[in-house]
Amino acid sequence: MEVRCRAPGKIILAGEHAVVHGAAAIAASIDLYTEVRISLHPSGQENELLELDLKDMGLNLSWPCSQLKEVLGDCSADGSVLVSCTSEKLELLSGLVAQKNMPQENVQLNSGLYAFLFLYTSILGYKPGKAVVTSELPMGSGLGSSASFCVALSGALIALSEGFSLKTKEKKDQFSFRKNDLELISKWAFEGEKIIHGKPSGIDNTVSTFGNMIKFKKELKTTNPMMPLNSTTPLKMLITDTRVGRNTKSLVSSVSERVLRHPDTMSSVFNAINSISDELALLVESPAEYKVEVSEKEEKLKELMQMNQGLLQCIGVSHESIETVVRTTMKEKLVSKLTGAGGGGCVLTFVPTLLSAAVTEKVISELEQCGFRCFMVEVGGPGVQVFPC
């Protein structure tokens, strides 16, 4: 049996940092994907292995299934029953990965390997098989690469689990997950995210699973602080990866320290960012049938992004590399803002519908001359997708 599953990355359109302090944030999927292909091998053979091929990094790892069972013990291997990774199990997973003597430059992958082993064995048990992973998302840049991996992996594993059947679409050879399956995939992916990040918000795996856009606010008076948004017009963004690493925890802490020093002023900033998120949510769901309406809608979106970037700059999370992108794109009257933690990472530049290809190419060329990497993406597309092989 073999299945291929892919899940998108994400961007934060508005509300980063302020969301930690009670403001709303808007997140959306992008058409850059992580793909996981899993093939199960016949059981009952000698030297059964669980293999992981990380194509983009040239790493091929394997664990004997007998060793996994000996170290991790018996497991229910029921994908329909969600379980969390205990600290004891995490220690066992750490030992299994440590035996591989990962090269120093790949040590940051360890937590992802723990997540892989946990999800695979929890859902499929100790069945021999091979997982091949490829991704279009740069790691550690704030585009949700880890969540995309966990969602694609969980989707493939659920699709291969006993008693599962895919929903056939109208077109031949197209399949999809049912709503309750998507909810289960998102929950399993969140367990993987917890292994990788400790205390994730749940935004990344939700967007990667369901796609489109969501509005997130911790203080929403519902059991689920995430509200789906239905974007009525396609959005294009130029994503610039500054290749500048950032420490998310440190940046979040620095904002919190600024709150302690200037509580009233920072409260006003967060309220302003919350208003931007609220207005953006209404804007993306508002209809725009004619060119004039689309242009007006895009102009409002540009203004909201510009204001949001200014507020993020004033709370201290911008960076010289981010401001370089802002200045470079501003030459062509384009608006940019950081996405995610800031301090480097990625920057969004809104691409209007009527922008010429020549201008786009010129901007990309200038940004690449600065040593940055650029991706043109569509925003708010589908979530996790499955393709039986």
Side-chain angles (χ1 to χ4, degrees):
M1 293 179 67
E2 186 174 3
V3 71
R4 181 168 60 92
C5 205
R6 73 174 190 176
K10 72 91 182 58
I11 54 174
I12 304 293
L13 284 169
E16 46 269 275
H17 284 286
V19 72
V20 177
H21 301 272
I26 309 295
S29 62
I30 55 175
D31 62 344
L32 295 176
Y33 299 92
T34 297
E35 182 177 288
V36 176
R37 181 190 290 263
I38 298 180
S39 53
L40 295 182
H41 302 154
S43 298
Q45 309 293 315
E46 287 188 24
N47 303 318
E48 292 179 341
L49 294 175
L50 170 57
E51 299 175 79
L52 175 61
D53 185 358
L54 300 172
K55 285 284 187 188
D56 304 314
M57 295 163 193
L59 284 175
N60 204 318
L61 306 169
S62 64
W63 294 266
C65 294
S66 57
Q67 181 196 22
L68 293 175
K69 186 172 183 178
E70 181 183 345
V71 172
L72 301 176
D74 292 329
C75 61
S76 60
D78 185 352
S80 64
V81 180
L82 193 72
V83 294
S84 295
C85 185
T86 63
S87 56
E88 293 80 11
K89 177 160 276 193
L90 187 58
E91 193 172 335
L92 297 174
L93 294 169
S94 174
L96 288 166
V97 172
Q99 294 172 6
K100 299 303 167 187
N101 297 316
M102 293 281 286
Q104 188 61 38
E105 64 269 23
N106 293 318
V107 167
Q108 76 275 13
L109 296 175
N110 283 358
S111 59
L113 297 177
Y114 307 158
F116 167 75
L117 290 173
F118 171 74
L119 291 171
Y120 189 101
T121 56
S122 296
I123 297 173
L124 293 183
Y126 305 115
K127 293 180 180 178
K130 182 175 183 177
V132 180
V133 181
T134 56
S135 185
E136 299 168 326
L137 293 159
M139 287 180 60
S141 58
L143 299 181
S145 59
S146 64
S148 175
F149 166 67
C150 288
V151 169
L153 175 61
S154 298
L157 294 170
I158 292 294
L160 289 169
S161 60
E162 291 183 16
F164 179 84
S165 60
L166 291 170
K167 178 181 175 184
T168 307
K169 285 190 172 183
E170 291 179 4
K171 291 184 179 179
K172 190 179 179 182
D173 297 330
Q174 284 197 13
F175 298 83
S176 66
F177 291 109
R178 295 173 173 84
K179 187 174 186 296
N180 59 330
D181 298 324
L182 290 173
E183 290 169 354
L184 184 62
I185 289 167
S186 185
K187 288 175 180 176
W188 274 114
F190 185 62
E191 294 302 322
E193 280 279 88
K194 286 197 291 187
I195 292 172
I196 296 171
H197 294 297
K199 293 182 179 179
S201 66
I203 294 176
D204 289 15
N205 57 282
T206 301
V207 172
S208 189
T209 302
F210 295 97
N212 214 324
M213 299 185 188
I214 63 166
K215 180 180 179 181
F216 175 85
K217 190 171 186 178
K218 289 196 294 185
E219 295 176 1
L220 283 177
K221 295 179 180 178
T222 62
T223 55
N224 187 355
M226 301 186 204
M227 182 176 74
L229 301 174
N230 294 310
S231 177
T232 56
T233 51
L235 295 178
K236 280 192 175 181
M237 293 279 176
L238 174 65
I239 297 179
T240 302
D241 180 8
T242 65
R243 302 178 189 260
V244 175
R246 74 276 188 276
N247 186 317
T248 300
K249 280 186 180 178
S250 175
L251 288 160
V252 170
S253 295
S254 70
V255 173
S256 296
E257 288 166 7
R258 196 170 287 209
V259 170
L260 292 175
R261 292 194 298 272
H262 313 284
D264 293 339
T265 303
M266 290 294 281
S267 177
S268 297
V269 172
F270 296 146
N271 287 335
I273 292 176
N274 183 72
S275 296
I276 288 171
S277 293
D278 285 345
E279 190 175 342
L280 182 58
L282 293 173
L283 186 65
V284 297
E285 291 194 309
S286 64
E289 297 179 10
Y290 305 104
K291 284 185 178 180
V292 173
E293 292 174 334
V294 171
S295 295
E296 289 176 353
K297 187 172 179 178
E298 291 183 344
E299 194 59 36
K300 287 181 180 178
L301 176 60
K302 285 170 59 178
E303 290 173 348
L304 290 172
M305 286 181 62
Q306 190 171 39
M307 287 187 283
N308 199 169
Q309 174 60 24
L311 291 167
L312 289 166
Q313 185 182 34
C314 83
I315 65 174
V317 295
S318 192
H319 184 271
E320 183 182 344
S321 61
I322 295 171
E323 296 305 318
T324 297
V325 177
V326 172
R327 289 193 301 270
T328 302
T329 56
M330 185 62 75
K331 293 176 189 175
E332 302 298 332
K333 298 182 180 179
L334 300 177
V335 170
S336 302
K337 70 169 282 290
L338 66 85
T339 181
C346 287
V347 184
L348 305 178
T349 302
F350 177 62
V351 180
T353 305
L354 300 179
L355 187 70
S356 72
V359 171
T360 305
E361 289 169 9
K362 180 183 176 185
V363 169
I364 290 174
S365 176
E366 285 193 41
L367 291 169
E368 288 178 343
Q369 286 174 25
C370 296
F372 304 146
R373 177 169 44 170
C374 297
F375 308 89
M376 185 68 74
V377 302
E378 291 193 4
V379 178
V384 63
Q385 296 171 294
V386 61
F387 308 92
C389 301

